[in-house]
């Protein structure tokens, strides 16, 4: 295939690496922040701010979208909109079909730490958007957009329900990082950025579907994105994993460290990079005998080091003159990986000029194209110590994803109870004398008098805490979101005591 003579450089045998699937480790790895997120002052998130535990969408949205105030937001359990609807097989709103909830996208503010409690924190059809923001930490949370309602415009967009009406939002990404708000030209976009972001020990997935465009990326980064680290995350069962760089015109700054991530059963974008100076080390990429691994595209000069690729159609490949330094990766081919075998099929890889494969490699992989060796070297930017490639599979499958970290340090700050902001008209009824029972069914569908669809409704706990608010047209959705129990409600200036069974 090539005219030059190839040299053997890999010291690991297939048997040596496969034997490590049962390896055990004496101590939990060090999960401290590593890589680009440590630069230019580091990434501290909400450190020093107040600590608030949230357990519903309204509480989370209020603290997460605060523009500047540092908060450590501890997420307990599942967060979804709670507003029920149905979708058809294509994900569009329907009168019957699959029952689901409306989606939402939360616009994160600066200086936030969002961390899950235990192994139950779950953003279900609620995506996070980081748009021209900085100093954000997201850890120990599971994400999916499975069964989110969508509207087909130029691309699929999330459908939410706000103020009594359906609203079309942005792409159905689990997390979308960008820096292009209100700017249509690249000169303007170059003056915007999202930076100093750490996403660690999270899980991302979507429902299996033959429609590859039903959902968008699991974790995408577009425009001026730098000083970011994505570590110890578990990405699985999806078509498009991570797009880094919006298009061949996105020639802005993309500097991300990807390390110890577990990618399983993804078809593409693991990750796909344009105009990147990114560093990928100690990741485990596991296919089903199909699917693509790392894709180096236009304008990129990346460093790919000590990763384990298994069961893919392609492991590392380039296009549009992308270049990379490829160091000490391990390739476990289709025939060796799949228990059923794959006949004569081999994984295809690209390597730097002068690199070759041993006889053990050639049983599993074949060379596709040579990638020009780059000049980007992460060691010039930060210190790190990669694990031996022979340990990567066991380390990553054991420790990536949720429920693997101790969050006690995040809980040690000044704690506050979540309280939704309210104007004077949203305060709870002052005394029991102003409360009556709900004979007119204020939040039910049977009314003895006419209430306008736009009339405001506020729901309070029996202690006076505002739980949620909306309009009369949303009454069934509001009712569906509330657990059984007693509440206080205010509608059109009148206050009622209600009981939901």
């Amino acid at each position: 295939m090539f005219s030059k003579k190839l040299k053997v450089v890999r010291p690991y045998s297939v048997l040596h690496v496969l034997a490590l699937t049962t390896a055990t480790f004496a101590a939990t790895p060090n999960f401290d922040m590593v890589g680009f997120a440590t630069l230019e002052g580091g990434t501290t998130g909400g450190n020093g701010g107040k600590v608030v535990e949230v357990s519903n969408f309204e509480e989370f949205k209020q603290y997460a979208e605060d523009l500047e105030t540092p908060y450590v937001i501890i997420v307990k359990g599942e967060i979804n909109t709670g507003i029920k609807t149905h979708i058809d097989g294509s994900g569009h709103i329907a009168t019957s079909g699959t029952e689901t909830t409306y989606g939402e996208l939360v616009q994160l503010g600066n200086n936030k730490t969002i961390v899950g409690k235990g192994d139950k924190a779950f953003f279900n059809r609620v995506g996070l958007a980081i748009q021209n923001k900085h100093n954000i930490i997201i850890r120990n949370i599971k994400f999916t957009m499975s069964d989110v309602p969508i509207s087909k415009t130029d691309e699929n967009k999330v459908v939410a329900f706000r103020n009594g009406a359906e609203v079309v939002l942005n792409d159905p990404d689990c997390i979308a990082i960008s820096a292009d708000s209100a700017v249509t030209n690249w000169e303007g976009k170059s003056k915007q950025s999202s930076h100093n972001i750490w996403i660690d020990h999270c899980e991302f997935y979507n429902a299996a579907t033959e429609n590859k465009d039903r959902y968008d990326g699991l974790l995408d980064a577009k425009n001026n994105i730098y000083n970011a680290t994505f570590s110890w995350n578990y990405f699985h069962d999806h078509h498009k994993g991570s797009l880094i760089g919006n298009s061949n015109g996105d020639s802005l700054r993309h500097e991300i460290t990807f390390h110890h991530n577990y990618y399983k059963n993804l078809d593409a974008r693991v990750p796909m990079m344009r105009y990147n100076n990114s560093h990928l080390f100690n990741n485990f990429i596991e296919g089903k005998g199909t699917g693509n691994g790392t894709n180096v595209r236009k304008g990129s000069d990346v460093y790919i080091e000590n990763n384990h690729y298994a069961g893919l159609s392609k492991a590392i490949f380039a296009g549009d003159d992308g270049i990379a330094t490829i160091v000490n990766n391990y390739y476990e081919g289709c025939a060796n990986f799949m228990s059923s075998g794959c006949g004569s099929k081999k994984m295809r890889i690209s390597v730097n000029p002068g690199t070759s494969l041993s006889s053990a490699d050639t049983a599993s992989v074949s060379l596709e194209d040579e990638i020009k060796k780059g000049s980007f070297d992460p060691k010039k930017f930060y210190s790190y110590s990669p694990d031996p490639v022979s340990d990567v599979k066991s380390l990553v499958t054991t420790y990536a994803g949720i429920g693997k970290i101790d969050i006690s340090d995040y809980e040690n700050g000044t704690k506050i109870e979540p309280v939704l902001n309210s104007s004077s008209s949203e305060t709870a009824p002052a005394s029991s004398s102003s409360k009556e029972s709900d004979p007119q069914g204020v939040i039910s569908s049977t009314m003895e008098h006419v209430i306008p669809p736009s009339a405001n409704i506020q729901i309070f706990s029996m202690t006076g805490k505002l739980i949620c608010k909306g309009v009369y047209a949303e009454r069934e959705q509001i009712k569906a979101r509330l657990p059984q129990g007693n509440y206080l409600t205010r509608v059109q200036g009148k206050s009622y005591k209600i009981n939901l069974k």
Side-chain angles (χ1 to χ4, degrees):
M1 185 175 181
F2 304 107
S3 59
K4 64 183 71 177
K5 186 176 181 180
L6 301 178
K7 300 178 182 179
V8 175
V9 296
R10 254 200 55 235
Y12 299 102
S13 71
V14 173
L15 291 177
H16 175 66
V17 173
L18 293 181
L20 288 166
T21 57
T22 58
T24 57
F25 300 91
T28 301
N30 185 342
F31 295 140
D32 291 346
M33 187 188 306
V34 175
F36 276 114
T38 64
L39 301 183
E40 297 184 42
T43 304
T44 59
N47 184 38
K50 293 180 179 178
V51 179
V52 58
E53 291 193 359
V54 300
S55 56
N56 61 59
F57 175 75
E58 289 81 6
E59 290 174 346
F60 173 73
K61 178 180 173 67
Q62 174 169 306
Y63 292 97
E65 291 194 337
D66 180 283
L67 291 180
E68 294 291 342
T69 308
Y71 283 115
V72 175
I73 304 170
I74 297 176
V75 179
K76 299 186 296 182
E78 181 175 333
I79 302 291
N80 64 61
T81 65
I83 307 175
K84 295 180 181 179
T85 188
H86 291 83
I87 56 173
D88 62 20
S90 297
H92 302 138
I93 299 292
T95 56
S96 62
T98 300
E99 183 176 278
T100 186
T101 55
Y102 281 96
E104 264 293 354
L105 301 178
V106 176
Q107 303 287 331
L108 299 187
N110 298 322
N111 310 313
K112 303 294 183 288
T113 293
I114 302 166
V115 60
K117 193 177 184 72
D119 60 358
K120 299 295 190 297
F122 180 26
F123 282 75
N124 194 3
R125 292 179 286 277
V126 174
L128 303 184
I130 301 172
Q131 172 69 273
N132 289 324
K133 295 296 184 290
H134 64 270
N135 198 29
I136 294 169
I137 295 173
I138 303 169
R139 303 187 74 191
N140 200 41
I141 295 174
K142 180 166 63 176
F143 293 86
T144 190
M145 298 301 279
S146 296
D147 291 333
V148 69
I150 57 171
S151 176
K152 179 71 173 178
T153 54
D154 57 327
E155 296 179 331
N156 290 331
K157 305 295 182 182
V158 172
V159 178
F161 194 87
R162 298 177 178 178
N163 299 319
E166 291 177 358
V167 180
V168 178
L169 304 179
N170 213 323
D171 300 340
D173 296 327
C174 291
I175 297 181
I177 308 172
S178 56
D180 62 353
S181 61
V183 174
T184 59
N185 61 81
W186 286 108
E187 181 181 359
K189 290 180 180 182
S190 68
K191 299 176 183 178
Q192 303 180 118
S193 65
S194 287
H195 60 90
N196 290 92
I197 298 162
W198 185 27
I199 300 174
D200 176 74
H201 278 94
C202 292
E203 178 180 349
F204 302 86
Y205 70 96
N206 281 318
T209 173
E210 294 181 358
N211 180 3
K212 67 180 183 180
D213 295 320
R214 170 68 180 84
Y215 307 102
D216 205 35
L218 296 175
L219 173 55
D220 285 358
K222 306 170 185 178
N223 319 122
N224 228 17
I225 312 299
Y226 58 91
N227 291 349
T229 295
F230 305 156
S231 56
W232 296 101
N233 299 297
Y234 177 31
F235 302 87
H236 62 99
D237 298 295
H238 181 62
H239 182 76
K240 297 177 287 189
S242 290
L243 173 67
I244 314 297
N246 187 34
S247 67
N248 282 352
D250 185 357
S251 57
L252 299 172
R253 190 174 172 186
H254 307 99
E255 296 166 4
I256 302 171
T257 302
F258 300 81
H259 75 87
H260 292 94
N261 297 293
Y262 182 16
Y263 300 91
K264 183 177 181 180
N265 297 343
L266 303 180
D267 291 323
R269 301 183 181 179
V270 189
M272 193 268 271
M273 298 170 285
R274 297 183 178 100
Y275 292 96
N276 268 245
N277 287 141
S278 288
H279 179 202
L280 293 78
F281 74 93
N282 288 155
N283 301 288
F284 177 46
I285 299 92
E286 179 181 17
K288 302 178 288 187
T290 60
N292 296 329
T294 304
N295 187 355
V296 184
R297 300 288 289 274
K298 187 175 180 64
S300 291
D301 180 354
V302 301
Y303 203 91
I304 304 172
E305 176 182 19
N306 287 40
N307 302 286
H308 185 146
Y309 296 90
L312 301 161
S313 294
K314 298 179 182 178
I316 302 171
F317 63 109
D320 301 324
D321 300 319
I323 61 178
T325 301
I326 302 172
V327 180
N328 205 34
N329 299 280
Y330 180 77
Y331 310 101
E332 185 181 349
C334 180
N336 290 328
F337 177 72
M338 299 294 289
S339 59
S340 60
C342 297
S344 61
K345 184 177 180 180
K346 296 181 179 182
M347 187 195 317
R348 292 181 291 173
I349 66 170
S350 298
V351 297
N352 291 152
T355 303
S356 73
L357 304 173
S358 69
S359 59
D361 294 318
T362 54
S364 305
V365 298
S366 60
L367 294 172
E368 181 181 48
D369 292 301
E370 288 188 343
I371 299 177
K372 181 180 177 181
K373 186 175 181 179
S375 60
F376 166 66
D377 185 353
K379 296 182 183 67
K380 296 179 181 178
F381 296 87
Y382 52 81
S383 299
Y384 67 99
S385 298
D387 291 305
V389 70
S390 56
D391 292 346
V392 167
K393 183 174 182 178
S394 289
L395 275 171
V396 169
T397 55
T398 301
Y399 292 109
I402 62 173
K404 310 295 174 64
I405 62 172
D406 179 2
I407 72 162
S408 58
D409 285 347
Y410 294 112
E411 299 176 294
N412 289 337
T414 302
K415 294 185 179 179
I416 60 173
E417 289 296 321
V419 177
L420 296 181
N421 289 332
S422 60
S423 65
S424 59
S425 63
E426 293 176 331
T427 55
S431 66
S432 59
S433 62
S434 65
K435 309 180 194 92
E436 54 188 74
S437 62
D438 186 23
Q440 296 174 320
V442 169
I443 63 169
S444 72
S445 58
T446 59
M447 303 298 299
E448 295 181 6
H449 64 286
V450 176
I451 293 180
S454 60
N456 292 324
I457 298 177
Q458 293 97 36
I459 306 294
F460 303 86
S461 70
M462 294 302 293
T463 60
K465 174 184 173 182
L466 180 63
I467 297 173
C468 61
K469 58 184 178 179
V471 295
Y472 177 64
E474 297 174 315
R475 61 193 181 277
E476 289 302 322
Q477 290 89 344
I478 292 174
K479 184 177 180 180
R481 293 163 69 175
L482 297 173
Q484 295 179 356
N486 294 315
Y487 299 90
L488 304 176
T489 183
R490 173 173 286 157
V491 182
Q492 289 191 309
K494 297 189 69 174
S495 301
Y496 304 88
K497 178 180 177 181
I498 59 173
N499 179 264
L500 297 181
K501 299 180 179 179

